[in-house]
Amino acid sequence: MKKISEKILVLSVFLLTYYIYMNSIRKIMIPYSSITVPAILLLVLISTIICSNGKIKVLGIWDKLVCISWVIIAIYIFINNESLAKNIISGGLIQLYVMIAFLIFSNEKKSWIDVWLKSTFVFVMIHAISTIIFYFNSDLYTKFARLMFSGDELKNCFTYYRQGFMSGLSTHFSNNGMILSIGILIIWQSILYTRNSKNSNKTLLIFKYVCILIVLYALILSSKRSPLLASFLAIISTYIICTGKNVWKSFIILIICLAILYGAYTFLADKIPGLSTIVNKTANLENSSAGILNGRKGLWQRAFDLFNMNPAFGKGYGSYASYANQTDAITTSAHNYYLQILAELGLFGMLLYLIVFGSGIMLAINLLKKSVNDKNLRNIMLASISLEIQIFVIVYCITATALMYYCILIPYILAITLAHVVNIDEYGNKKENKNENRNNNIYKYN
């Protein structure tokens, strides 16, 4: 029964990954997304609970804190909600609750990890290659978009495409940028793992280098600036933490890397198709009424206005969208996750989320340091992936409501779960074995 449930867990995570990367292509979600998504979530929920025998297992203060905090957030959102029925019907709450359940119950089984990483690699490469092909072949993209999308989605795709913003297989270039960014982080750590392995495969290493260049170029073609910067900061921060550089050395490394990045950016701007789009986009925004923040200033002001109505507990989960509609905002999200939390859940909600973000980061950092001390290359890779995805999300949330999107929420929770599971498997089991041996020795002595 346990082996069967574990296989179901692996299958459910694969289907979850499939949904993350293919949900925008409505007509290949079989039978329909309204049926597939609840079915996948139910499968994930049941399989994780069975695999853990219904037990929640945590190890260490940060692990306890991240799990408990997410549970409290789930309860708080359930209670402090603008419209519980609407948010349940939309699937947002169900998605969040299942992901939290996955985090706290997936404590002993690691078989899903490789499936998640490998399937993510495949789906990201499909998105990257499609993005590049569509960018240079307008006829093919037109046929694809008309076949897969309709209504406002189709209209928006063509509008973005004419402006040079490449959505790829997604309905929006922002979704495409987020997908490709997660791929860059995972592939980069896979490259480091392959390069540092004793039996390093040069052919495989070259292949991975080519893959990350493809994904990086596809991200440039999507014209997304914030994910590109957030990915870079995530990789540099993780490198600094992993190598244990002191504060001054870390600061110098960061400045040098930023200088190199800016130099490459200015030198290649007119030479690489797609990169000039980002340059022109920035220049056009500077000269437009929207400003360099692309209209976010007005959205952020609305968040502050809503927050001032109830600073302690906010106006309820989901209230910003209603307020944005009432005030004729350009979109229904604040384009800053922290300000949206403040507006909807108040200072109490913000405190809970800061605890969640901080404890998740510390859990990954502690695992990374333990893995470096043990010289366990695989665990270093897994801990680094967990840390990079979390840092990426935390940075990207400054200019976007990133965790509102399934293509970010699900990888983010999976990244925390990754650190949670590896920590328990590697160090929790060792602790249990030591205690068991000690008890056996006492028994023999007696």
Side-chain angles (χ1 to χ4, degrees), residues 72 76 311-313 345-353:
I72 295 174
Y76 180 57
F313 301 105
L345 302 176
L347 291 170
F348 181 70
M350 174 58 77
L351 177 62
L352 290 175
Y353 269 92

Side-chain angles (χ1 to χ4, degrees), residues 150-405:
S150 60
D152 289 339
E153 286 181 345
L154 180 62
K155 182 180 177 181
N156 290 336
C157 282
F158 288 146
T159 301
Y160 299 141
Y161 187 66
R162 284 193 294 270
Q163 295 172 349
F165 309 155
M166 189 63 244
S167 301
L169 298 180
S170 303
T171 55
H172 196 283
F173 62 97
S174 291
N175 290 354
N176 196 29
M178 288 185 277
I179 287 170
L180 297 171
S181 297
I182 295 293
I184 285 175
L185 300 179
I186 290 177
I187 296 172
W188 174 247
Q189 286 304 322
S190 178
I191 287 173
L192 295 182
Y193 174 71
T194 303
R195 193 178 68 183
N196 294 327
S197 297
K198 290 182 179 180
N199 300 319
S200 179
N201 188 323
K202 290 185 179 180
T203 304
L204 179 61
L205 189 60
I206 292 171
F207 170 73
K208 290 181 178 180
Y209 274 123
V210 171
C211 287
I212 199 170
L213 288 175
I214 290 172
V215 179
L216 178 61
Y217 186 53
L219 178 57
I220 291 172
L221 294 181
S222 75
S223 83
K224 289 302 294 179
R225 300 164 297 170
S226 297
L228 186 63
L229 179 61
S231 301
F232 175 77
L233 290 176
I235 290 173
I236 291 298
S237 301
T238 302
Y239 167 77
I240 291 171
I241 292 168
C242 185
T243 54
K245 301 287 185 183
N246 62 38
V247 176
W248 283 108
K249 284 185 178 179
S250 301
F251 181 74
I252 292 170
I253 290 172
L254 183 60
I255 293 298
I256 291 173
C257 290
L258 287 173
I260 292 172
L261 184 67
Y262 181 75
Y265 171 76
T266 53
F267 177 74
L268 298 173
D270 298 328
K271 298 176 176 61
I272 297 181
L275 195 58
S276 57
T277 303
I278 299 178
V279 177
N280 294 333
K281 180 180 179 180
T282 304
N284 292 336
L285 285 173
E286 287 176 345
N287 299 322
S288 70
S289 58
I292 192 66
L293 295 175
N294 199 14
R296 285 177 173 84
K297 187 177 179 180
L299 299 174
W300 295 351
Q301 184 59 54
R302 285 174 173 82
F304 279 117
D305 293 341
L306 194 61
F307 165 70
N308 288 328
M309 296 179 189
N310 190 341
F313 301 105
K315 295 295 289 183
Y317 182 80
S319 59
Y320 184 88
S322 301
Y323 185 71
N325 286 327
Q326 293 171 11
T327 55
D328 297 324
I330 57 175
T331 183
T332 55
S333 71
H335 271 273
N336 181 306
Y337 197 69
Y338 307 106
L339 293 181
Q340 188 144 341
I341 291 170
L342 272 176
E344 296 184 344
L345 302 176
L347 291 170
F348 181 70
M350 174 58 77
L351 177 62
L352 290 175
Y353 269 92
L354 290 178
I355 292 172
V356 158
F357 290 144
S359 56
I361 288 287
M362 289 306 302
L363 175 62
I365 288 176
N366 282 353
L367 177 61
L368 180 57
K369 288 182 176 179
K370 289 176 183 177
S371 302
V372 169
N373 290 335
D374 293 344
K375 297 181 180 179
N376 188 323
L377 290 179
R378 176 170 169 76
N379 284 350
I380 291 173
M381 177 187 72
L382 297 178
S384 297
I385 288 173
S386 174
L387 183 58
E388 284 184 357
I389 291 177
Q390 290 185 66
I391 293 174
F392 168 80
V393 171
I394 288 171
V395 173
Y396 188 44
C397 277
I398 297 172
T399 59
T401 45
L403 287 176
M404 289 176 59
Y405 299 95

Side-chain angles (χ1 to χ4, degrees), residues 60-218:
I61 181 64
W62 299 116
D63 199 13
K64 292 176 184 177
L65 201 55
V66 71
C67 291
I68 292 172
S69 299
W70 271 119
V71 172
I72 295 174
I73 283 175
I75 296 171
Y76 180 57
I77 288 177
F78 185 84
I79 296 171
N80 188 10
N81 205 293
E82 186 214 24
S83 174
L84 186 61
K86 183 177 73 174
N87 286 305
I88 288 178
I89 291 172
S90 67
L93 286 181
I94 296 174
Q95 188 90 48
L96 178 62
Y97 293 159
V98 171
M99 286 295 96
I100 293 171
F102 181 81
L103 165 63
I104 63 179
F105 285 110
S106 292
N107 47 43
E108 292 181 338
K109 305 299 180 184
K110 296 198 302 179
S111 51
W112 61 270
I113 294 175
D114 281 335
V115 173
W116 173 47
L117 297 180
K118 289 177 181 178
S119 56
T120 295
F121 175 83
V122 172
F123 285 124
V124 166
M125 289 309 302
I126 292 172
H127 271 265
I129 293 170
S130 300
T131 298
I132 295 172
I133 292 174
F134 287 157
Y135 186 88
F136 293 103
N137 193 325
S138 58
D139 291 338
L140 186 61
Y141 181 68
T142 300
K143 291 177 182 178
F144 166 80
R146 285 178 175 165
L147 179 65
M148 292 299 175
F149 309 125
S150 60
D152 289 339
E153 286 181 345
L154 180 62
K155 182 180 177 181
N156 290 336
C157 282
F158 288 146
T159 301
Y160 299 141
Y161 187 66
R162 284 193 294 270
Q163 295 172 349
F165 309 155
M166 189 63 244
S167 301
L169 298 180
S170 303
T171 55
H172 196 283
F173 62 97
S174 291
N175 290 354
N176 196 29
M178 288 185 277
I179 287 170
L180 297 171
S181 297
I182 295 293
I184 285 175
L185 300 179
I186 290 177
I187 296 172
W188 174 247
Q189 286 304 322
S190 178
I191 287 173
L192 295 182
Y193 174 71
T194 303
R195 193 178 68 183
N196 294 327
S197 297
K198 290 182 179 180
N199 300 319
S200 179
N201 188 323
K202 290 185 179 180
T203 304
L204 179 61
L205 189 60
I206 292 171
F207 170 73
K208 290 181 178 180
Y209 274 123
V210 171
C211 287
I212 199 170
L213 288 175
I214 290 172
V215 179
L216 178 61
Y217 186 53

